[in-house]
Amino acid sequence: MVTASVEQRVWDALREIADPEIPAISVVDLGVIGAVDVGADRVHVDLLPTFVGCPAIGVMQRQITERLTELGVAPRVEVEVSFDPPWTSDRISPAGRERLRASGFAPPAAAPSVSGLDELAVLSVATCPYCGSRNTTLDNAFGPTLCRSIHHCEQCRQPFEQFKSL
Amino acid sequence: MTELDPATRDALAALILTVADDELVIGYWDSEWTGIAPMLEEDVAMSSVSQDEIGHAAALYAMLGELTGRDPDELAYAREPDAFRHAPLLDHPRTDWAFTIGRRYLYETADAARLQALAGSSYEPLAQLAAKMRREERYHLMHVDAWLRRLAAAGGEVRERLVAALERLGTDALGVLDAPDDEALLLSAGILPEPMASVRARWLERIGGPLGELDLPVPSGGPRPGGRRSHGPDFAWLHGEMTMVSRSEVGATW
C-alpha cells in the first residue's frame, strides 16, 4: 500500500512536467515515460525518446531528475533513456491528443506498422485543428522540430502542424 | 544474451562503429544544404533528415560507450580521419542536388535493408535501437523516393546529372553492405542474423524495381576493398569542419 502511494506521487509529479518543445502537453501524456520503478533506495524512470535525435531528451532527463529529487521519495533518482518499448505516436494519451489539438497541432494519425520496406505511405490525411476539416494538404513531411510536419487546410486556409505518426 | 567473449564483443563494437560513422558522415554532408537547398521546404527537410542521422549516430556512439567504456563525444569528434569506418559512398562531397539525391537514395535504401537485419539482432540494445530507427527512416525513404522520381522524370540536364551521379556512385554504394570484420563471429552469436551478402542481395532486389522502371543505372561491380579504412581529401575537409568546435576548446562541454 505504501509503495503504491509513493508510485502515485511519482506519476503525479511527472504529470507536472511539460514537453520542452510543445509545453501544452506533459511528458506523461506524450507517452515518453516508460517503466517507473520505486525502490527503498532509488526511483528509476525509463525515458522513451519520441525521435532518437530529439534534442530535448537531455532537458527532459534533467527536469525529471530535478522534480523527483525534490519530491524526496528515494535518495537516488535514475532517469534512463530507453528504446524498450520504442516510443510510437500511439503512446500519446487521449487527453494529450486533445491538448495538442487545442493548441493548434493536429494529433498524429494511427502509427503505421513496420512490416516492410515498401510501406512508404506513412502519412495519413491530417485533420485541421482549427476547423476540423479533413480537406488538408501536406506541405512538408519535415517541420520545425523532428517530430512535426507542416500542413495546409483548404477549408479555412490556415497552415498548421501535425505531430508526426511514428 | 549471455556474456560476450572479448573477440565477439570487439566484432560487435566494430560493426556498431561502421553504422554510427555512416550516419554521422551523411548527416554532416547533407546538413550543408541548410540555407542553400533548391527551395525553402528542402532547407527544412534536409536539416531535419540530417538531424535524425546525427541523432542516430549519437545513440550508436552511446551504445558503443556502454560496450567499450569509450567516451561517445570522443568517438564522434576526437578521432583522426583514418580512424573513421564509414563506407566509401560517404567519402564524396555533397556536390549538386542531383548527386545528393542519388546518394541519399542509394544510402537510405541500403541502410533500410541493414536496419531490417539489425532489428533481429541477438544483441538487444542494438535490436531495439534499429527497430526505433526504422520508424524514422521511413520518412527519409519516402522523401528521397519522391525526389528520385521527380528528377528522373524531369529530363534534360536534371536527369543527366542524376544518371551521372548514380553511375559514379553505384560501386561505392555496394560497400555500405560489405561483410563486416569477423562476420563469422557475429553470425554465430546471432548478433548479425544473416550474412551481409544476403542483406545486399535483398537491397539490390528492392531497388532494382524502381531504378529499372525509371531506366536509371543499377549499382554493379565490386566495391573498393578496405574502403572503410581509408578516406580521401574530401572527407579530410569535412572532418575539419565537423570537429572545428570541439577542437577549438578541447574538453569543453556543451
Side-chain angles (χ1 to χ4, degrees):
Chain A
M1 279 309 282
V2 175
T3 312
S5 82
V6 170
E7 211 166 297
Q8 196 52 51
R9 283 173 59 205
V10 169
W11 279 102
D12 288 346
L14 292 171
R15 266 187 206 96
E16 294 164 12
I17 301 172
D19 169 23
E21 286 182 348
I22 308 177
I25 185 171
S26 79
V27 291
V28 173
D29 281 328
L30 186 58
V32 295
I33 306 299
V36 172
D37 182 27
V38 183
D41 62 337
R42 63 123 180 69
V43 48
H44 183 102
V45 174
D46 277 347
L47 179 64
L48 315 176
T50 53
F51 278 65
V52 175
C54 174
I57 295 168
V59 177
M60 289 190 200
Q61 225 172 348
R62 198 171 62 241
Q63 287 179 343
I64 294 168
T65 306
E66 279 169 9
R67 183 68 190 91
L68 296 185
T69 303
E70 190 185 288
L71 196 66
V73 292
R76 208 166 75 244
V77 176
E78 300 164 355
V79 182
E80 188 183 11
V81 174
S82 169
F83 301 104
D84 180 28
W87 183 90
T88 76
S89 43
D90 286 348
R91 290 185 61 90
I92 300 177
S93 71
R97 294 174 64 87
E98 178 49 30
R99 280 192 197 103
L100 283 175
R101 198 199 54 74
S103 50
F105 289 98
S113 72
V114 283
S115 56
L117 287 177
D118 292 311
E119 203 178 326
L120 297 178
V122 289
L123 289 162
S124 311
V125 174
T127 302
C128 174
Y130 299 107
C131 74
S133 171
R134 290 177 67 83
N135 182 16
T136 62
T137 52
L138 172 72
D139 279 349
N140 198 340
F142 302 92
T145 71
L146 294 183
C147 55
R148 286 140 76 173
S149 50
I150 304 173
H151 303 253
H152 184 82
C153 178
E154 303 295 339
Q155 192 68 37
C156 70
R157 302 187 178 274
Q158 277 289 324
F160 65 92
E161 292 175 16
Q162 180 178 41
F163 205 110
K164 278 179 175 176
S165 302
L166 198 69
Chain B
M1 101 185 261
T2 50
E3 194 69 14
L4 293 168
D5 66 80
T8 306
R9 194 197 54 215
D10 289 351
L12 168 61
L15 172 71
I16 296 171
L17 188 65
T18 59
V19 185
D21 286 350
D22 282 353
E23 295 278 288
L24 185 76
V25 175
I26 196 160
Y28 267 97
W29 278 129
D30 289 346
S31 73
E32 291 193 323
W33 286 107
T34 303
I36 56 166
M39 57 186 78
L40 180 61
E41 283 75 9
E42 286 309 308
D43 273 4
V44 177
M46 289 308 259
S47 307
S48 189
V49 166
S50 299
Q51 194 181 355
D52 273 340
E53 308 291 24
I54 293 170
H56 296 165
L60 289 160
Y61 291 131
M63 185 186 299
L64 211 44
E66 295 278 322
L67 197 64
T68 63
R70 296 180 70 181
D71 177 62
D73 280 338
E74 265 183 45
L75 282 165
Y77 296 117
R79 279 179 297 153
E80 291 303 311
D82 277 346
F84 278 77
R85 292 290 175 265
H86 57 272
L89 179 66
L90 309 171
D91 277 334
H92 302 271
R94 71 179 152 79
T95 317
D96 59 23
W97 186 249
F99 191 93
T100 288
I101 293 301
R103 170 164 61 186
R104 286 213 67 80
Y105 183 79
L106 296 170
Y107 177 74
E108 293 287 15
T109 51
D111 186 43
R114 176 169 62 183
L115 289 175
Q116 184 182 6
L118 294 180
S121 175
S122 63
Y123 186 63
E124 275 295 316
L126 183 58
Q128 287 164 2
L129 181 59
K132 176 72 181 158
M133 285 163 65
R134 285 185 79 197
R135 289 181 174 271
E136 301 178 8
E137 295 283 2
R138 276 179 317 167
Y139 281 96
H140 303 187
L141 283 169
M142 182 183 65
H143 172 255
V144 79
D145 185 74
W147 267 105
L148 183 87
R149 289 169 191 282
R150 187 170 173 183
L151 299 184
E157 188 189 348
V158 174
R159 185 183 160 91
E160 279 167 24
R161 285 184 184 229
L162 178 67
V163 170
L166 290 170
E167 274 169 357
R168 182 158 166 227
L169 294 171
T171 304
D172 283 347
L174 291 158
V176 175
L177 301 176
D178 251 355
D181 295 343
D182 296 319
E183 186 176 50
L185 281 178
L186 296 170
L187 287 168
S188 72
I191 290 170
L192 208 54
E194 59 181 324
M196 219 42 116
S198 75
V199 178
R200 184 148 75 194
R202 199 168 52 240
W203 166 64
L204 286 169
E205 198 188 317
R206 155 77 176 76
I207 62 173
L211 290 177
E213 175 197 322
L214 299 168
D215 198 22
L216 292 171
V218 176
S220 63
R224 175 149 58 92
R228 285 190 182 271
R229 295 187 173 275
S230 69
H231 309 289
D234 293 319
F235 178 66
W237 176 84
L238 183 73
H239 179 270
E241 288 286 304
M242 66 190 206
T243 60
M244 185 186 291
V245 174
S246 58
R247 278 183 293 114
S248 69
E249 191 65 54
V250 176
T253 55
W254 64 89

